[in-house]
Amino acid sequence: MSLAAPLRRPAETAAAAGAATMRRTNLALVLRLLHHHGPRSRADLVVETRLSKATISSLVAELVGRGLVREGALRAQGAIGRPARILEVDGSRVGALGLEVNVDYLAVFGRDLGGRILVRRRVPFDAMNATPDEALSRLAATTREALAEMTRLGAVPAGITVAVPGLIDVARGHVLLAPNLGWREVPVAERVAAALDADVAIRVDNDANLSALAEFREGGAAGTADLVYLTGEVGVGGGVIVGGRLLRGPDGFAGEVGHMSVDPGGAECGCGRRGCWETKVGLAALVRLATPDQGYAAPGPVPDPEVRLAGILDRAAAGDQRTHLAFAEVGRWLGLGCSILVNLFNPRVLVLGGYLARVAQYVVPTAQAQLDRLVLAGPAGRCRIEASTLGFEAAVRGGCGVAIERVLDDPTSVPPVAVVGAGFS
């Protein structure tokens, strides 16, 4: 007969939970210092974190054991004392993936903790005419290939983020509504996890939100505390950074700017309403205006958006009048919608992503003139429109970044690779 383990008292349980939380916080503090500010000695970490030598030694040992930190070269401390061993992030072991499902393509982007790009891929796919199961099955197949490539390069996937254009319940990983995909109440995280059969955390978020985070972290407007990012796909969404933080709203639905009604008597939108902004400035609108014979309803395989754009840009370069009139029309509506956003959020920059970045030279002059004319604050608004440097990769880069941030926030989410001891030097 075996004896049952003694029950813990509530106070003991709370104390243990508090200690675990404190340790996770301290692990994150050390890892972030090394990740953001570069190699340091244990002595440096003691000074900068104000933690004890024993605590730093213990934290470093765990981070090394999880494959997140490694011992580097010796560094002389000066004329007196023995050299100190330098610690640095071991960026090659842990990786993350960003995935995207959009109207006419699937995409995947992976990098490791050190910033090395492990995989990048975009696959033409007619998601508008596929069921959610078909789209997610194809996405899972693409993801399995990406995970195999990461494994071959020696990186363990620590997280996956799926970008979808629509209203997302981030906590549950459900797409509540994606009008342009025809999705409603789709448990994306569960289905992707089941299809992959891999022990990796999966998160789902709005594509524009993830794009805004990518732009804030690594784009041409990186570090701008107040910006609005506009996705430029068939649909148009907005990611809003205010004071350096993503604006989500209480339910996480902020940023659905593509469904602002700018022309109540206009064309029907995928959401069922009329005159939404995306019916005026989305890629489908430009294609319809510039090349009506090649619209999204045209028969045949759906081309990659880059292919569609290449043809339109060639026409523009050749001086085609219809194409230039199409750009002028898109630019006019773009400026009108942007003026509403500037009046609401007072950003310093409006970043055009996706296809809008590719055609910026043709639409921005008209849009900026409209913006300057319609913004209430006038020159005091000091907002400029600029093209993203991230192109169609913004959402997957943002998703990859979210997964990496999860590791930095909680290093214990990465399993240990060895039991390692480390003294203080």
Side-chain angles (χ1 to χ4, degrees), residues 154-177:
V156 176
I160 294 173
T161 310
V162 186
V164 181
L167 299 179
I168 313 297
D169 183 336
V170 174
R172 293 191 300 151
H174 284 208
V175 174
L176 302 181
L177 176 65

Side-chain angles (χ1 to χ4, degrees), residues 105-383:
Y105 66 86
L106 306 174
V108 59
F109 180 90
R111 62 160 44 123
D112 63 23
L113 198 60
R116 175 181 54 145
I117 295 175
L118 303 171
V119 61
R120 65 197 321 170
R121 196 167 298 148
R122 191 172 68 244
V123 181
F125 182 75
D126 186 5
M128 292 178 74
N129 293 307
T131 66
D133 283 343
E134 289 169 341
L136 294 176
S137 176
R138 180 68 181 276
L139 182 69
T142 303
T143 306
R144 280 192 291 270
E145 295 172 2
L147 290 173
E149 181 66 9
M150 288 178 64
T151 301
R152 188 184 70 79
L153 294 171
V156 176
I160 294 173
T161 310
V162 186
V164 181
L167 299 179
I168 313 297
D169 183 336
V170 174
R172 293 191 300 151
H174 284 208
V175 174
L176 302 181
L177 176 65
N180 291 314
L181 298 178
W183 292 11
R184 189 181 293 271
E185 288 291 346
V186 180
V188 171
E190 295 171 22
R191 293 189 185 179
V192 172
L196 293 179
D197 191 25
D199 185 19
V200 57
I202 297 174
R203 181 184 177 94
V204 184
D205 209 334
N206 173 267
D207 64 331
N209 283 344
L210 294 173
S211 296
L213 288 172
E215 191 65 42
F216 179 65
R217 289 171 181 152
E218 58 179 303
T224 303
D226 296 275
L227 68 84
V228 174
Y229 181 97
L230 298 178
T231 60
E233 316 288 350
V234 170
V236 172
V240 183
I241 303 289
V242 177
R245 298 178 66 87
L246 180 67
L247 179 66
R248 288 188 175 277
D251 299 309
F253 302 157
E256 286 298 326
V257 299
H259 298 288
M260 296 187 299
S261 180
V262 295
D263 182 12
E268 185 175 357
C269 180
C271 71
R273 299 169 178 83
R274 288 195 171 273
C276 291
W277 192 30
E278 70 180 41
T279 67
K280 303 293 188 180
V281 300
L283 179 55
L286 176 65
V287 170
R288 184 180 65 251
L289 290 168
T291 56
D293 58 321
Q294 299 173 27
Y296 274 78
V302 173
D304 184 273
E306 292 278 11
V307 175
R308 288 189 188 272
L309 282 176
I312 293 174
L313 290 170
D314 285 346
R315 290 171 185 244
D320 180 70
Q321 185 178 15
R322 179 192 287 273
T323 303
H324 282 277
L325 288 173
F327 282 137
E329 181 73 357
V330 168
R332 184 169 68 86
W333 286 106
L334 182 63
L336 185 149
C338 285
S339 72
I340 297 171
L341 300 180
V342 172
N343 285 333
L344 282 173
F345 300 115
N346 185 208
R348 283 287 170 262
V349 60
L350 277 155
V351 183
L352 304 182
Y355 103 87
L356 289 170
R358 289 289 312 279
V359 302
Q361 62 175 313
Y362 295 106
V363 299
V364 167
T366 303
Q368 187 73 57
Q370 279 281 78
L371 179 66
D372 295 341
R373 184 174 67 85
L374 296 173
V375 168
L376 185 62
R382 290 187 296 140
C383 180

